[in-house]
Amino acid sequence: MKGSIAMRRLALAGLVVLAAVLIAACTPTEPGYKPLLSGIVNKGSETYFHLAQPYPVIDLSEVAASSPGLTGTVVDVSWSQLEPSPGTFDFSTLDADLAAVSDYNSANPGATLGVKLRVWAANDAPEWAKTMDGTPISTDVNNQPATVGQWWKSDYRAAWAGLQTALAQRYDSNPLINEVVVASCASLTDEPMVMAATPDVSSVLLADGWTNAEQQSCLDGALSDYAPWHQTAIYYPFSPFTTLSPSGQRGVDDSVTAEVMQRCASSLSSGGPWCILGNNALDASQSGSFVYDEINSLYASDPSNTAVAFQMNSPATTGACQAVAVAVAEHANSVEFWPKTGQNLGFAGESPATLKSWGNDLLLGTSPTCT
């Protein structure tokens, strides 16, 4: 009997060691950097972005209802909130956001949250930034009127980089913030490569001096914008690169996408910030897309140092398990799930146990069992 107990204890100890080895193998770490987020992350609400209103202090009540299924949360804040006038910063909302997360963690010591910071530009840039290189460009976001500045020009780019310097000086060492989202060159959403380029907008862009080369230069420069973040990894969401012909016709150039992704993957070894390969359109069918194929290729070249993360394409729960399986196959550490949005339940449509199980699958690199 004693021998049997000893053998079981030895086997259990072996499993614990094996799990630790698997976690170490599947979760990249870098000296001097805070840990990456792992598991299922609350994407946060973007309602205020769509209505062009300031973001409120984060409400974690939905996260609490799904505890301990979620391991992190996005904190949303706009550039206009942070820098209402050039060089004058107001960090009060962001400080209150982090205080709310800290209070939550104190109340839930067994299910604490890390933070992914997402600062919105585009329509959420301050008016002084939108007008610094010329007349703001009129567009729309979710059928709401919007304006954006000339994001590819040097003055605008320098102002955005200055904001990152100020944020990093204040928050880079804050242990709550694990990742910062890259939003340089954003013109429609927070994503650099999702471009506002309807026919009406395209003609204005071309008249104002936008070119495919200028856009590519802006995307490459994003890594320099975020260079002040020395302890916090940056999440770069990739999509197919949009081109415009002289007549305004839209196209796609995957070679540019590949070039910028390669820069992200090699950023740290080149002396830049630690860059996470990301995509904000994860669903059950993405494994064959160009961005996902490129992630697999870059990961295969350097699996121990390549970090990957995703955001779900929508708050619909159909196919969520299969989407997590795609994320595991793409070596992702974390996946942002939407909160309840309209009639779609988002992460609230899954049990906390299921969310926790999927988080463990991501952590260990094991595909979930989907019915």
Side-chain angles (χ1 to χ4, degrees):
M1 178 66 72
K2 289 182 179 179
S4 177
I5 293 174
M7 289 297 292
R8 284 200 298 270
R9 287 176 176 172
L10 183 61
L12 179 60
L15 289 173
V16 171
V17 170
L18 177 60
V21 170
L22 287 170
I23 290 170
C26 297
T27 306
T29 58
E30 292 293 345
Y33 277 83
K34 290 170 279 186
L36 300 179
L37 293 173
S38 63
I40 307 301
V41 175
N42 165 36
K43 185 184 78 70
S45 172
E46 298 167 6
T47 300
Y48 287 83
F49 161 71
H50 295 315
L51 297 178
Q53 296 178 9
Y55 282 100
V57 175
I58 190 169
D59 179 356
L60 295 171
S61 57
E62 290 181 85
V63 173
S66 292
S67 181
L70 301 171
T71 55
T73 185
V74 170
V75 165
D76 291 295
V77 65
S78 68
W79 184 4
S80 59
Q81 287 175 282
L82 293 170
E83 193 176 5
S85 59
T88 300
F89 300 101
D90 181 355
F91 299 116
S92 57
T93 300
L94 181 49
D95 286 342
D97 286 325
L98 296 177
V101 176
S102 181
D103 290 345
Y104 178 95
N105 288 347
S106 295
N108 299 272
T112 58
L113 302 172
V115 169
K116 177 184 283 188
L117 174 60
R118 178 170 284 128
V119 179
W120 294 76
N123 185 45
D124 284 324
E127 288 302 312
W128 62 263
K130 292 181 182 181
T131 58
M132 67 191 316
D133 285 305
T135 303
I137 300 165
S138 296
T139 181
D140 67 82
V141 178
N142 280 13
N143 298 316
Q144 298 287 333
T147 58
V148 296
Q150 297 183 30
W151 67 86
W152 67 95
K153 293 188 175 179
S154 58
D155 290 341
Y156 187 102
R157 290 177 59 184
W160 176 255
L163 173 67
Q164 296 309 314
T165 297
L167 285 167
Q169 287 174 347
R170 187 177 180 91
Y171 298 106
D172 192 27
S173 61
N174 189 313
L176 278 179
I177 302 178
N178 298 87
E179 299 171 11
V180 178
V181 176
V182 174
S184 298
C185 322
S187 61
L188 187 63
T189 68
D190 67 307
E191 298 180 58
M193 302 185 87
V194 176
M195 199 172 75
T198 61
D200 289 344
V201 173
S202 297
S203 62
V204 174
L205 293 180
L206 294 169
D208 283 343
W210 183 96
T211 66
N212 297 321
E214 290 281 1
Q215 183 70 8
Q216 183 174 359
S217 176
C218 187
L219 295 169
D220 286 339
L223 295 170
S224 295
D225 297 345
Y226 287 79
W229 294 95
H230 301 295
Q231 302 175 52
T232 312
I234 63 172
Y235 169 85
Y236 204 139
F238 291 102
S239 301
F241 178 80
T242 299
T243 62
L244 292 178
S245 71
S247 63
Q249 184 176 0
R250 294 183 61 160
V252 172
D253 187 345
D254 285 336
S255 69
V256 175
T257 306
E259 184 267 336
V260 183
M261 292 180 72
Q262 176 62 62
R263 283 179 180 267
C264 171
S266 61
S267 174
L268 190 64
S269 62
S270 302
W274 189 16
C275 185
I276 303 167
L277 296 164
N279 173 263
N280 288 2
L282 177 69
D283 62 22
S285 62
Q286 287 292 338
S287 59
S289 73
F290 175 82
V291 169
Y292 285 65
D293 289 344
E294 192 67 16
I295 287 174
N296 256 323
S297 176
L298 292 168
Y299 183 89
S301 298
D302 188 10
S304 62
N305 295 309
T306 303
V308 181
F310 296 117
Q311 179 187 108
M312 291 289 284
N313 189 43
S314 80
T317 57
T318 303
C321 182
Q322 289 79 7
V324 172
V326 170
V328 169
E330 296 291 331
H331 322 288
N333 303 304
S334 65
V335 175
E336 293 179 44
F337 267 59
W338 292 54
K340 186 178 185 298
T341 305
Q343 299 301 311
N344 293 304
L345 295 177
F347 62 74
E350 310 292 344
S351 71
T354 295
L355 295 172
K356 185 69 173 177
S357 176
W358 289 346
N360 288 336
D361 291 329
L362 288 163
L363 192 64
L364 298 174
T366 56
S367 187
T369 301
C370 303
T371 58

